[in-house]
Amino acid sequence: MIHNSQCTIGKPMSDFKSHPDPSEWDNYVDYESTSWPRKERRRYWIIPSICFNCESACGILAYVDQETLAVRKIEGNPVHPGSRGRTCAKGVVTPNQLEDPDRILYPMRRAGARGEGTWQQVSWNEALEDIGGRIRRAIVEGRRGELMYHVGRPGEDGYANRVLQAWGVDGHNSHTNVCSSSGRLGHFLWCGADRPSPDYANARTILLLSSHLETGHYFNPHAQRIVESMASGGTLITVDPRLSNTSAKADLWLPAYSGTEGALLLAMARILLEEGLYNREFLRKWVNWRAYLAALRPDLPQEFDSFIVALKEEYARFTPEFAAAETGVDASKIVEAARAIGRAGTRFATHNWRAASAGNLWGWQITRCLYLLVVLTGSLGEVGGMNMHVTNKFVPRHPNPPPPPEYWNELLFPREFPLAFHEMSFLLPHFLKEGRGKLDVYFTRVYNPLWTNPDGFSWMEVLQDTEKIGLHVALTPTWSETAWFADYILPMGLGTERHDTMSQETHAGQWLGFRQPVLRVAREKRGEHVEATYEANPGEVWEENEFWIALSWKIDPDGSLGIRRFFESPYRPGAQVTVDEYYRWMFENSVPGLPERAAKENLAPLAYMRKYGVFQVSDKTYSRAHERPLTAGELAGTSRDSLGETVLDGAGAAAGIVVDGAAVAGFNTPSRRLEFFSQTMVDWGWPEHAIPRYVPGHVHWRDLDRAGGEFDLLPNFRLPTLIHTRSPVKWLYEISHSNPLWISTADAATYGILTGDLVKVRTRIGYFVTRAWVTEGIRPGVLGMSHHLGRWRLNEDRGAPRVASALVRISRDDRGRYVMKQVHGAQRFESVDPDSGRIWWSEVGVHQNLTFPVQPDPVSGMHCWHQRVHLEKAAEEDSYGDIVVDTNEAHTAYLEWMRGTRPAPGPEGLRRPLWFDRPLRPVAEAYKVEPRNR
Amino acid sequence: MPTYGFAVDLRKCIGCHACTIACKAEHQIPVGVNRCWVKTVEKGVFPETRRFFFPVLCNQCAEAPCVRICPTNALFRRRDGIVDLNGASCIGCRACMEACPYDQLFIDPNTHTAEKCNFCANRVENQLLPACVSVCPTECRVFGDLDDPSSEVARIFQREAFMVRKPEKGTGPKVLYLGAEESVIRPEASVRPLYFKEGSVHLRPVGAPMPDVEDPGEPRVDYDVPHGKPWGTDMVLYLLFKAISTGAMLVAALLWRLGIDGPLATIAGPALSIVFVSLTAIVLVIDLERPERFYYILTRSNWRSWMVWGAYFLTAHGALSAVWLAAGWFGWDGVLDWLVAPAVVVAVLATSYTGFLFAQGLARDLWQGPSAAIDLLAQSAAAGSAALLIAASFGGAPAAGALPVLGATLAIAVTAHLLILIFEHLLAPSPTQHHELATATIRTGAYARLFWGVAMIGGGLLPLALLVIFGATLHPLVTSLAALLTLAGGAAWEYIWVEAGQSVPLS
């Protein structure tokens, strides 16, 4: 809470405007700041777009110089309802990315062996012919399963998925399992939606197991609203063993030992229950308490009051004292936090996403415990409470939707992980090593698995193996460690160089953002005809929208495969669809209210979106779908269960629920209720996890041999200035360029470590050497290290941005282990940008992820990021950035973790519960184990 | 006409650095320098630990010390209170960087002229908020007209408990901070590590008095963008050369006035003065970031800047030395008689103004000492005497009585200089913590060995002892040695004074 009676947020500051008015955007005259105080006037087109640097989809404005067609600067788009004219550092730094002397400007094909680093420039047509032909052969020969599109952060909604669907390929792979699987599963089990949309701005108490004041989805829009709440008296509580910037702003910082968060949250739940601070009516109406009582408490009268009794008994042991002993957080603070939540009532908002749930085995149980607080307060769908993302994220229909794929790709969803959210992306190298399949064409798209994922050397091994991966195509705006091992590097545009639509659940509203290639738009404003976006972008940087259309036509030039028709114009039958036509159709047909709004300004819907870059679908939307009465049509043919509380469809499955006599839709869960008790978990072999419960993580502090130098390494925190591999640019790196190891003062004293000293951190499969940063901002026993730094390259001049990477040499030692040595860090270099000669930092971090084995949670499939490590002072012969890894040991570790899984089939011979969605969902038939995977 | 002001509600600042980058983008600021940035400090013992964020930008001072010291009027105060800079007039003397107590000026490596935040005057004139305000996700930055009672910034100015940076400097800062914590707003209150949370430290002034003290809970800077030392060896040489030049002239005039009219007074003194005043000028011009613009100091003079007065004093001093030399050469004794008074007055001015110039370096508490101008005179007399003593040892038999006079002036001047050092820098209590930190580097810190070994003993007490014990012999070996030691001691002190003064972080 900011103790300030005079909140300034939202008030007009003065006569000054934050941005030029949209009426001026077509011809904005600005004073050039660099020649100030001489008044040199420049004319700009201000063209809106969407930032492409994280998933927040903040609106941006590009100032395109009418004379030079240069993008002078990027600002926030004031019309955008999510970001409201503001951006974070990563948004305004976009011009650095556009003008990065190390960016890739032309399509390139590998010239030597894969990974050797010799490239030759090719034309787009050559690349399309080659790749398209290869994909065609795979499809014709019935090898669709060997095609895979692996995306990091999509930065768009639905376009690429539709392409794969059009090809009939179950080949969508993602980064979700290194990011948010356990955040999603825990949420999904409760309510059938895999993530929340907190209404921070109106919340009275905000509990974050995340660090949304500095990072994460959706940092900038969320930070605005969290601070808004604080400025009007809201209380911010954070749970994090590390003093994040968010925790630094919190009223209460609860630095629980990692993996013990569940105990903390259940202690809060217990206080809400014991002190009567829960929302009785909400629980009674919406929670599947009856199923719980029937399954686990048949001894009690099967009525609502028993549920409360049972809950109290269930969590009786989570007294503040117990939680304090388990988590290390003062009991009084736990009580204070719980009461702040209780006081907030339905104005309680919370989030976790990564952090604890992504860090720990059973992290999805932490999410469930957290959501228990949401349910107890009844804040779901309330002002200042919690929405589901589906309420606030708006994804329009794309034109001409193709049918879903007809088969199941077990490289994505293997049987061991029937409940995974989602594709088991980070296990791919091990799957390929085990011979579970191979890939003929593998697209990595703005994705750097070798660097971002754990166990990068195993990735390097399979990426180098042309038997396992036939053709690797890297679609990327910049160099990456992964692209180095590609056969084609195809440069794709940044936030101002491409078309996409995007929406996110930033607040209790709904909007649709439109990304555009601003230089193309500018040229068209000048009256020029632009055939393909790469003609307008720097070099021949293209955009994926046009690339996929062109590639699909190469795959099916005559339409005989039935693919081409999905890439034909809705307005000119048989002709190749243009991007203009694609979005024209979308904006005219599937964005409610947009055509009318555009007409008010005498604009076509597409012209409206080009002008404003965003459309607000709704300014206030709360998750109330569960209260929607079922229509007569929906009720036709239904029956009621024996208690008359559930609406059953013809097949006997729940189709709705009866609340106080009215048949309503309920939630997208099998019971149509909020599932405190999950029959799915029981049915799929995890009966002990039927309800939210506390299970310590895989690196529990009590198990650590502290005297022997064992620590819990928290390796998954982020910085406000960087995102993984898209932000290695000069202005950000001069602020944040290294990721020293956070170590508490007490621990440092034990080992005689001072800030700046070299330390060696051993993991199960190897070690790394880095510098220590001694702080009071981390719990003793826990080490912290940001995973945003430590970029490297194998060639002096290319392979990763030189401003941000170390030149390394990789060799094998006599035990076959990989040994990475830094030759030098960032250095000055000559380029068109004089700033290249002003690089003053050299150490650019250490790539810790290389030394982590894969640790898949057996249920959610989340990579459990926390590492049990051994810490020691570096020896004489150790140097900064040294990394040693044994990939055989990594594979052994993989096999051990795999042994913890409980494979499909589940009930009815299913690979996955039918109600568990997939990002690209195949036909229902494919959910069955038989017929066999093709 | 409005008066623009700014407020930062630190309670809302989340330390995201968006302002820093928006500023860089708006003004195309090169790598390594900043108009604005966000300093970060960590404080407290686990689990009561906190991190504080502190955005810094130019205060647009009502009494802007940078405007006062700028010799060419490149820095100026607009009618709306914004302190702006016209790069076209800047000669790159870096005096403004010594004047600004807030470390808000820097040299742009592209233009080699000074640069600073101007509240985005280019945007303000278009009725747009400054870039850092427009971008700020949490709206912690407030910009507006302090004279407009309805503006938010005026309301804060009137009603809220705000703080400003270093109010004791009397500059009238117009950036108000709400919710400031001492450890961020006062640069002396936090220790400075050798390594930041997210990377190495760019510029850490040599001799910075606050190392990484591993004392748990003590406020420690996690991120900052302090500037290096704007003035370096060139300024030391300037001080030394100028001391020799003006001192030689002063001592020559003294000899002449005492009737000791040999070539020391008529030729060597003025010749040394001319040579060293020329060297002084050369050093000063070379030291400029834009040396080709050196004459702007005379054509675009800011009469409030002691640097401008200094330029005129030095020019006059050079001219009088030349006339003196001509008169001495041609034996125009009457002219010399007439020249004594003006030559002395001008030499004193050319010596002492530097004390006032350094005092205009308001950022440096060490330079605010009351006796700098007098000490400079003592150093000048010592250096002049020393230079002439050395000259005398080359020039055959000097006029009778010259050597004892030179020996005496040397001894007296050194004594005076040492006494001033002892009183001002060793005995007098420091008026501020900044001053105390600077003097600590001299007494016990990075400069202690040089101070005690050379400035005090080797170049002070030792020559004094030589003169007292062996002075009567007037042996050239003794006088030359004493003279050389004195010059070394003087140079050492000048180095320390320049360096130690700049060793305390300003932000």
Side-chain angles (χ1 to χ4, degrees):
Chain A
M1 174 182 346
I2 294 169
H3 300 279
N4 177 13
S5 54
Q6 309 277 348
C7 161
T8 57
I9 273 193
K11 282 189 191 173
M13 254 178 212
S14 52
D15 306 333
F16 290 90
K17 294 178 293 188
S18 62
H19 301 79
D21 189 82
S23 61
E24 303 172 272
W25 289 2
D26 240 356
N27 188 16
Y28 184 65
V29 183
D30 205 358
Y31 293 125
E32 172 52 42
S33 68
T34 53
S35 46
W36 189 263
R38 196 156 47 83
K39 293 190 175 173
E40 186 192 334
R41 288 187 169 82
R42 308 287 310 175
R43 290 184 182 280
Y44 296 96
W45 285 299
I46 298 180
I47 302 172
S49 191
I50 298 287
C51 184
F52 191 55
N53 280 336
C54 83
E55 285 295 281
S56 300
C58 297
I60 53 174
L61 298 180
Y63 284 64
V64 181
D65 191 306
Q66 295 193 1
E67 199 179 305
T68 64
L69 283 187
V71 177
R72 171 63 176 81
K73 65 181 172 188
I74 295 290
E75 291 187 345
N77 180 357
V79 183
H80 193 289
S83 52
R84 303 189 285 195
R86 307 167 224 157
T87 82
C88 74
K90 305 183 287 292
V92 262
V93 90
T94 301
N96 271 193
Q97 297 176 300
L98 303 178
E99 291 153 20
D100 180 357
D102 282 340
R103 76 176 292 196
I104 300 165
L105 292 173
Y106 299 93
M108 295 192 297
R109 183 168 55 206
R110 159 167 78 89
R114 199 186 276 170
E116 189 184 281
T118 45
W119 306 91
Q120 67 184 93
Q121 189 179 325
V122 293
S123 72
W124 274 109
N125 195 52
E126 281 175 86
L128 288 169
E129 291 276 357
D130 187 13
I131 302 165
R134 191 151 179 153
I135 294 174
R136 180 184 172 85
R137 277 195 299 282
I139 291 174
V140 169
E141 293 167 13
R143 294 183 286 109
R144 277 190 165 91
E146 293 179 12
L147 305 175
M148 187 179 285
Y149 165 79
H150 207 155
V151 59
R153 284 162 163 166
E156 57 101 357
D157 291 325
Y159 192 100
N161 287 23
R162 181 184 171 279
V163 171
L164 293 168
Q165 236 170 299
W167 297 354
V169 167
D170 182 21
H172 177 277
N173 209 340
S174 71
H175 80 293
T176 301
N177 284 46
V178 296
C179 172
S180 55
S181 298
S182 285
R184 288 171 193 259
L185 175 63
H187 200 267
F188 185 83
L189 284 174
W190 265 107
C191 64
D194 71 358
R195 54 192 197 268
S197 173
D199 182 21
Y200 291 128
N202 299 303
R204 287 222 183 91
T205 295
I206 296 171
L207 171 65
L208 297 179
L209 272 70
S210 58
S211 50
H212 275 106
L213 287 184
E214 68 213 90
T215 62
H217 314 333
Y218 304 98
F219 158 42
N220 168 45
H222 277 180
Q224 295 181 17
R225 293 168 171 92
I226 293 167
V227 171
E228 210 169 308
S229 159
M230 293 168 74
S232 43
T235 300
L236 176 64
I237 305 163
T238 60
V239 181
D240 196 332
R242 176 189 76 93
L243 184 78
S244 63
N245 289 357
T246 311
S247 295
K249 302 303 288 186
D251 298 283
L252 268 178
W253 172 41
L254 312 178
Y257 279 110
S258 42
T260 68
E261 292 85 352
L264 190 80
L265 297 166
L266 291 179
M268 293 178 188
R270 184 187 162 279
I271 292 167
L272 296 183
L273 286 164
E274 292 296 335
E275 300 190 2
L277 297 170
Y278 59 93
N279 191 326
R280 188 184 157 85
E281 274 302 280
F282 184 86
L283 294 177
R284 183 183 66 77
K285 285 183 188 170
W286 302 109
V287 174
N288 70 340
W289 49 269
R290 219 176 255 289
Y292 162 71
L293 291 176
L296 297 180
R297 296 306 300 269
D299 55 311
L300 294 176
Q302 301 293 296
E303 58 192 35
F304 179 70
D305 284 340
S306 303
F307 179 53
I308 300 297
V309 170
L311 278 181
K312 287 181 179 173
E313 287 177 15
E314 197 78 66
Y315 300 127
R317 75 180 172 114
F318 293 95
T319 61
E321 293 70 30
F322 170 83
E326 189 65 15
T327 65
V329 176
D330 271 2
S332 64
K333 284 190 178 175
I334 299 173
V335 175
E336 192 183 341
R339 288 181 181 154
I341 293 166
R343 261 201 319 276
T346 57
R347 287 184 185 259
F348 167 62
T350 179
H351 214 306
N352 67 339
W353 211 231
R354 275 191 193 166
S357 60
N360 298 289
L361 177 63
W362 318 118
W364 47 278
Q365 277 288 25
I366 298 174
T367 313
R368 282 173 100 191
C369 294
L370 179 63
Y371 209 74
L372 176 60
L373 299 176
V374 175
V375 174
L376 286 174
T377 53
S379 61
L380 198 155
E382 296 287 342
V383 173
M386 295 285 281
N387 288 318
M388 290 181 274
H389 77 287
V390 286
T391 311
N392 296 138
K393 176 173 173 133
F394 176 78
V395 182
R397 275 178 300 118
H398 290 242
N400 195 5
E406 292 175 357
Y407 68 99
W408 188 280
N409 187 338
E410 291 205 347
L411 283 176
L412 302 172
F413 284 90
R415 295 186 194 187
E416 289 91 338
F417 295 94
L419 305 178
F421 266 74
H422 291 287
E423 302 91 353
M424 293 307 302
S425 60
F426 67 100
L427 299 185
L428 184 63
H430 295 284
F431 293 163
L432 293 176
K433 283 184 176 185
E434 288 180 326
R436 294 185 183 215
K438 61 177 187 151
L439 299 174
D440 189 44
V441 180
Y442 179 55
F443 290 97
T444 51
R445 185 281 198 172
V446 197
Y447 183 51
N448 190 5
L450 200 167
W451 192 84
T452 309
N453 286 357
D455 196 7
F457 280 118
S458 292
W459 278 90
M460 198 177 83
E461 286 175 350
V462 299
L463 285 170
Q464 280 175 305
D465 187 340
T466 50
E467 293 295 309
K468 294 187 170 62
I469 297 176
L471 186 76
H472 173 200
V473 182
L475 310 174
T476 175
T478 182
W479 280 107
S480 77
E481 287 77 354
T482 300
W484 190 253
F485 296 96
D487 300 300
Y488 279 100
I489 299 182
L490 303 182
M492 291 297 166
L494 293 154
T496 54
E497 297 171 338
R498 49 188 294 130
H499 286 96
D500 296 299
T501 53
M502 201 168 172
S503 172
Q504 295 295 11
E505 62 281 12
T506 53
H507 65 291
Q510 262 188 333
W511 49 266
L512 176 70
F514 186 39
R515 189 176 289 129
Q516 19 183 10
V518 300
L519 296 183
R520 176 178 185 155
V521 174
R523 282 187 186 278
E524 285 168 352
K525 281 179 190 288
R526 278 217 299 219
E528 297 174 25
H529 173 72
V530 182
E531 187 72 31
T533 297
Y534 64 74
E535 295 167 7
N537 278 343
E540 286 183 14
V541 171
W542 210 359
E543 59 165 320
E544 281 142 28
N545 279 195
E546 286 183 346
F547 170 77
W548 292 127
I549 294 169
L551 184 64
S552 298
W553 273 66
K554 295 286 185 196
I555 294 170
D556 187 15
D558 54 6
S560 59
L561 296 181
I563 292 172
R564 205 189 88 171
R565 64 192 165 102
F566 297 110
F567 302 93
E568 290 172 1
S569 164
Y571 304 102
R572 297 174 297 127
Q576 189 166 318
V577 64
T578 64
V579 175
D580 262 26
E581 289 171 334
Y582 192 95
Y583 289 107
R584 179 186 152 194
W585 187 93
M586 180 190 283
F587 297 150
E588 283 175 358
N589 294 289
S590 57
V591 185
L594 172 56
E596 296 76 12
R597 181 76 187 79
K600 273 189 196 161
E601 302 203 16
N602 289 322
L603 292 172
L606 176 62
Y608 179 93
M609 290 301 274
R610 289 225 183 273
K611 178 174 181 186
Y612 292 104
V614 72
F615 175 67
Q616 178 164 281
V617 181
S618 154
D619 66 344
K620 211 167 277 171
T621 315
Y622 288 90
S623 292
R624 291 296 175 82
H626 55 285
E627 295 175 356
R628 182 181 63 81
L630 291 176
T631 61
E634 286 170 316
L635 285 170
T638 62
S639 58
R640 303 278 166 105
D641 69 345
S642 56
L643 292 166
E645 292 187 350
T646 303
V647 181
L648 302 174
D649 64 14
I657 52 177
V658 181
V659 174
D660 296 337
V664 298
F667 296 88
N668 284 327
T669 58
S671 66
R672 311 301 294 179
R673 290 188 161 82
L674 294 170
E675 298 206 335
F676 174 75
F677 171 81
S678 172
Q679 186 63 42
T680 303
M681 292 304 292
V682 176
D683 291 345
W684 289 77
W686 299 96
E688 71 273 37
H689 286 293
I691 65 166
R693 60 184 270 251
Y694 166 55
V695 203
H698 61 300
V699 194
H700 190 217
W701 63 276
R702 290 187 200 277
D703 302 336
L704 293 175
D705 176 14
R706 290 285 297 282
E710 269 194 346
F711 282 86
D712 169 15
L713 173 63
L714 186 168
N716 57 324
F717 74 83
R718 300 185 267 181
L719 308 176
T721 37
L722 300 177
I723 40 132
H724 292 283
T725 57
R726 257 175 287 178
S727 58
V729 291
K730 57 183 186 181
W731 287 339
L732 297 178
Y733 258 64
E734 68 175 321
I735 298 174
S736 312
H737 47 261
S738 189
N739 57 348
L741 184 80
W742 292 34
I743 178 170
S744 80
T745 320
D747 290 332
T750 307
Y751 291 85
I753 291 168
L754 298 174
T755 289
D757 284 355
L758 283 181
V759 291
K760 187 186 269 186
V761 180
R762 293 183 188 279
T763 67
R764 158 125 195 221
I765 63 168
Y767 68 81
F768 63 88
V769 177
T770 189
R771 289 195 193 283
W773 185 70
V774 181
T775 174
E776 284 293 304
I778 194 160
R779 173 168 283 289
V782 181
L783 304 172
M785 191 157 159
S786 166
H787 63 179
H788 269 164
L789 292 135
R791 301 290 309 276
W792 49 267
R793 65 186 193 275
L794 290 162
N795 180 288
E796 183 64 75
D797 300 324
R798 55 186 183 271
R802 284 171 283 179
V803 67
S805 61
L807 178 69
V808 301
R809 297 273 176 264
I810 298 174
S811 58
R812 308 289 284 265
D813 69 5
D814 46 8
R815 291 162 56 189
R817 299 183 305 177
Y818 287 91
V819 178
M820 180 184 278
K821 285 277 201 187
Q822 292 196 358
V823 181
H824 62 71
Q827 286 183 335
R828 296 172 179 197
F829 61 96
E830 290 269 322
S831 84
V832 290
D833 180 2
D835 275 346
S836 302
R838 298 185 183 121
I839 296 169
W840 54 265
W841 55 94
S842 60
E843 290 182 357
V844 286
V846 177
H847 183 196
Q848 55 176 341
N849 291 4
L850 281 176
T851 67
F852 301 160
V854 295
Q855 302 184 150
D857 181 288
V859 184
S860 71
M862 177 84 225
H863 170 63
C864 306
W865 276 103
H866 277 258
Q867 297 287 324
R868 177 191 289 248
V869 297
H870 181 273
L871 176 76
E872 62 200 56
K873 284 190 84 164
E876 192 79 358
E877 64 274 16
D878 295 325
S879 311
Y880 179 78
D882 284 359
I883 288 171
V884 170
V885 173
D886 182 343
T887 47
N888 291 325
E889 186 60 23
H891 194 68
T892 308
Y894 154 77
L895 292 173
E896 278 171 26
W897 278 78
M898 291 297 277
R899 280 200 281 280
T901 60
R902 299 180 190 173
E908 297 161 48
L910 289 172
R911 301 170 184 279
R912 181 176 177 82
L914 281 167
W915 74 287
F916 272 45
D917 216 347
R918 288 183 38 180
L920 200 165
R921 191 184 170 104
V923 293
E925 184 63 16
Y927 271 64
K928 298 222 171 79
V929 170
E930 300 297 339
R932 293 290 305 169
N933 182 32
R934 13 176 184 150
Chain B
M1 192 40 100
T3 305
Y4 291 125
F6 205 102
V8 185
D9 190 339
L10 298 175
R11 296 164 301 187
K12 291 181 187 164
C13 175
I14 54 175
C16 72
H17 299 287
C19 46
T20 313
I21 305 295
C23 173
K24 286 223 158 195
E26 177 73 26
H27 301 287
Q28 300 285 301
I29 309 284
V31 159
V33 288
N34 287 72
R35 284 192 183 194
C36 75
W37 67 95
V38 184
K39 177 183 161 184
T40 306
V41 168
E42 184 181 292
K43 190 187 110 170
V45 177
F46 181 88
E48 301 301 334
T49 325
R50 194 124 205 184
R51 190 172 301 124
F52 295 95
F53 308 110
F54 189 67
V56 290
L57 67 161
C58 174
N59 274 308
Q60 318 292 343
C61 303
E63 296 294 333
C66 59
V67 171
R68 203 179 312 143
I69 204 170
C70 175
T72 58
N73 286 311
L75 281 153
F76 60 99
R77 193 163 176 273
R78 292 158 44 112
R79 287 170 62 211
D80 56 15
I82 290 176
V83 175
D84 211 343
L85 185 139
N86 180 7
S89 288
C90 176
I91 58 173
C93 67
R94 303 184 301 277
C96 49
M97 298 170 71
E98 303 292 4
C100 174
Y102 313 106
D103 221 1
Q104 289 304 135
L105 290 115
F106 59 90
I107 298 294
D108 183 310
N110 287 331
T111 61
H112 299 282
T113 57
E115 264 299 339
K116 69 179 284 297
C117 157
N118 59 356
F119 279 176
C120 287
N122 56 308
R123 294 172 61 102
V124 168
E125 288 201 10
N126 271 342
Q127 289 301 111
L128 284 177
L129 290 170
C132 61
V133 179
S134 162
V135 78
C136 179
T138 61
E139 295 188 329
C140 78
R141 303 167 87 98
V142 181
F143 173 79
D145 179 6
L146 287 164
D147 294 342
D148 170 8
S150 68
S151 79
E152 176 61 14
V153 73
R155 188 197 65 74
I156 291 169
F157 184 72
Q158 294 171 92
R159 280 211 91 213
E160 297 280 340
F162 67 83
M163 288 171 81
V164 295
R165 297 168 72 191
K166 298 182 188 168
E168 69 279 6
K169 290 290 182 183
T171 58
K174 292 205 290 282
V175 178
L176 321 175
Y177 291 95
L178 291 169
E181 214 283 329
E182 193 206 10
S183 59
V184 286
I185 203 163
R186 229 165 50 75
E188 303 86 6
S190 303
V191 298
R192 310 242 158 197
L194 298 161
Y195 207 84
F196 286 147
K197 182 160 67 77
E198 285 153 29
S200 39
V201 174
H202 181 199
L203 290 167
R204 188 169 192 276
V206 177
M210 292 179 286
D212 184 13
V213 182
E214 296 287 342
D215 191 3
E218 198 172 349
R220 175 182 63 181
V221 175
D222 277 353
Y223 181 74
D224 196 7
V225 189
H227 298 136
K229 295 174 180 174
W231 284 349
T233 318
D234 286 350
M235 286 310 276
V236 179
L237 290 177
Y238 148 79
L239 286 168
L240 182 67
F241 293 163
K242 186 166 68 79
I244 293 173
S245 169
T246 57
M249 199 57 230
L250 283 172
V251 177
L254 178 69
L255 289 175
W256 180 261
R257 191 76 181 81
L258 292 175
I260 305 167
D261 53 355
L264 278 181
T266 54
I267 308 292
L272 278 171
S273 174
I274 291 167
V275 168
F276 279 92
V277 82
S278 307
L279 286 174
T280 305
I282 290 168
V283 165
L284 284 178
V285 171
I286 288 175
D287 189 46
L288 298 177
E289 297 288 334
R290 298 293 296 263
E292 82 284 4
R293 293 180 174 179
F294 77 93
Y295 63 92
Y296 285 11
I297 203 166
L298 302 176
T299 58
R300 305 184 182 195
S301 301
N302 167 19
W303 296 104
R304 292 209 296 160
S305 169
W306 278 103
M307 192 175 276
V308 168
W309 286 102
Y312 282 94
F313 293 154
L314 285 173
T315 310
H317 169 68
L320 286 176
S321 299
V323 176
W324 184 283
L325 178 63
W329 186 264
F330 294 110
W332 302 334
D333 291 1
V335 175
L336 290 179
D337 284 341
W338 184 82
L339 270 180
V340 168
V344 167
V345 168
V346 169
V348 167
L349 290 173
T351 303
S352 302
Y353 89 90
T354 304
F356 303 120
L357 170 63
F358 271 59
Q360 276 192 330
L362 193 63
R364 317 296 180 185
D365 285 12
L366 188 74
W367 298 347
Q368 306 302 310
S371 44
I374 298 165
D375 185 31
L376 283 161
L377 263 183
Q379 291 181 68
S380 164
S385 308
L388 284 181
L389 275 174
I390 293 166
S393 69
F394 286 107
L403 288 185
V405 170
L406 292 176
T409 52
L410 182 67
I412 292 166
V414 168
T415 307
H417 168 58
L418 292 181
L419 284 175
I420 291 170
L421 289 197
I422 290 166
F423 278 108
E424 182 168 339
H425 297 293
L426 296 179
L427 296 180
S430 280
T432 64
Q433 194 184 358
H434 176 129
H435 187 280
E436 172 58 29
L437 289 165
T439 44
T441 67
I442 299 173
R443 288 196 306 262
T444 54
Y447 308 106
R449 288 172 71 162
L450 192 62
F451 176 70
W452 293 108
V454 183
M456 287 301 286
I457 297 170
L461 294 175
L462 186 59
L464 209 52
L466 279 176
L467 287 173
V468 169
I469 298 166
F470 305 107
T473 69
L474 295 180
H475 192 284
L477 218 59
V478 172
T479 51
S480 299
L481 184 60
L484 281 172
L485 287 171
T486 304
L487 287 175
W493 170 249
E494 278 145 7
Y495 174 79
I496 293 166
W497 193 50
V498 170
E499 290 280 323
Q502 301 175 79
S503 64
V504 183
L506 300 176
S507 60

